[in-house]
Amino acid sequence: MTDPVLDLTDAKLSLMGNAGPVDILRGITLSVARGETVGLTGPSGSGKSSLLMLMGGLERATSGRVAALGQDLGPMDEDALARFRRDHMGVVFQSFHLIPTMTAIENIATPLELAGARDAFERAEAELEAVGLGHRGGHYPSQMSGGEQQRVALARAAVTRPEILLADEPTGNLDGTTGQAIMDLLFGLRDRHGATLVLVTHAPDLAERCDRVIGLADGVLA
């Protein structure tokens, strides 16, 4: 594989528990190619979400190397990691993580405003239209259904046109029909922006849509 977008070498993650360190990931070596869609599967507690967090620099590897777009994430401080995510990544969480005091359009425009984009709201409006919620721009998260909130979260993740999209159980809090619509949107955003997509999922039908499925069990690749 030439110039992988994501490249992990013997990446380990240990977190402190009540009884001492707990090994969450026990040596992950994995590369993801540009434009590839990878599904991470495995039982609860296998380390799927933790692996996704390592890829996004939201957790730091205890040892080993994690690189994204050729940049070693290990030496970066928190500010540098935040800027790197802002400029290159979109992250979608199961629990949406929208800012409750901001409208849909303001939530979507936030990453662009942080990056100093003068056309932040114009681009946010276009992305909101793309997920079918152009009429909901002035509404707050509390005024929207779970499916609508996840659409706003998708639009926020995609508005910066990231090279990498990371999605952690993006349909986990939604009913089947709504979840299917969200996944269609997510794959559509990937196609429209040419992003590399890595997603955590328990859904077999969703995993089948990926170019490659990687299983985890007890913190190692299955």
Side-chain angles (χ1 to χ4, degrees), residues 65-218:
R65 183 175 186 270
V66 179
L69 298 169
Q71 299 290 311
D72 188 347
L73 302 185
M76 294 186 188
D77 63 21
E78 292 303 322
D79 288 343
L81 284 169
R83 286 193 299 271
F84 187 83
R85 279 193 299 272
R86 180 195 72 194
D87 295 340
H88 302 289
M89 294 181 175
V91 186
V92 182
F93 298 96
Q94 180 176 342
S95 52
F96 319 138
H97 287 307
L98 299 177
I99 301 168
T101 56
M102 288 186 174
T103 63
I105 202 75
E106 289 168 343
N107 265 283
I108 297 167
T110 293
L112 292 173
E113 288 189 296
L114 291 172
R118 294 184 177 181
D119 59 346
F121 279 86
E122 289 84 353
R123 287 167 61 181
E125 286 176 11
E127 211 61 57
L128 195 58
E129 288 282 354
V131 298
L133 288 180
H135 61 295
R136 297 288 255 162
H139 290 76
Y140 292 90
S142 62
Q143 297 173 306
M144 293 183 282
S145 68
E148 287 173 330
Q149 290 183 62
Q150 191 61 294
R151 285 171 183 252
V152 173
L154 283 177
R156 182 181 59 186
V159 74
T160 58
R161 296 170 193 150
E163 291 112 306
I164 299 168
L165 271 172
L166 304 175
D168 189 9
E169 291 280 9
T171 62
N173 283 337
L174 307 173
D175 64 66
T177 302
T178 305
Q180 185 64 50
I182 290 297
M183 290 320 307
D184 289 343
L185 281 171
L186 184 59
F187 278 82
L189 291 173
R190 173 207 63 181
D191 294 340
R192 191 150 54 88
H193 296 305
T196 300
L197 172 62
V198 181
L199 60 94
V200 169
T201 184
H202 280 107
D205 56 335
L206 177 52
E208 288 175 3
R209 295 178 64 170
C210 298
D211 300 320
R212 181 163 48 126
V213 177
I214 295 171
L216 277 89
D218 296 325

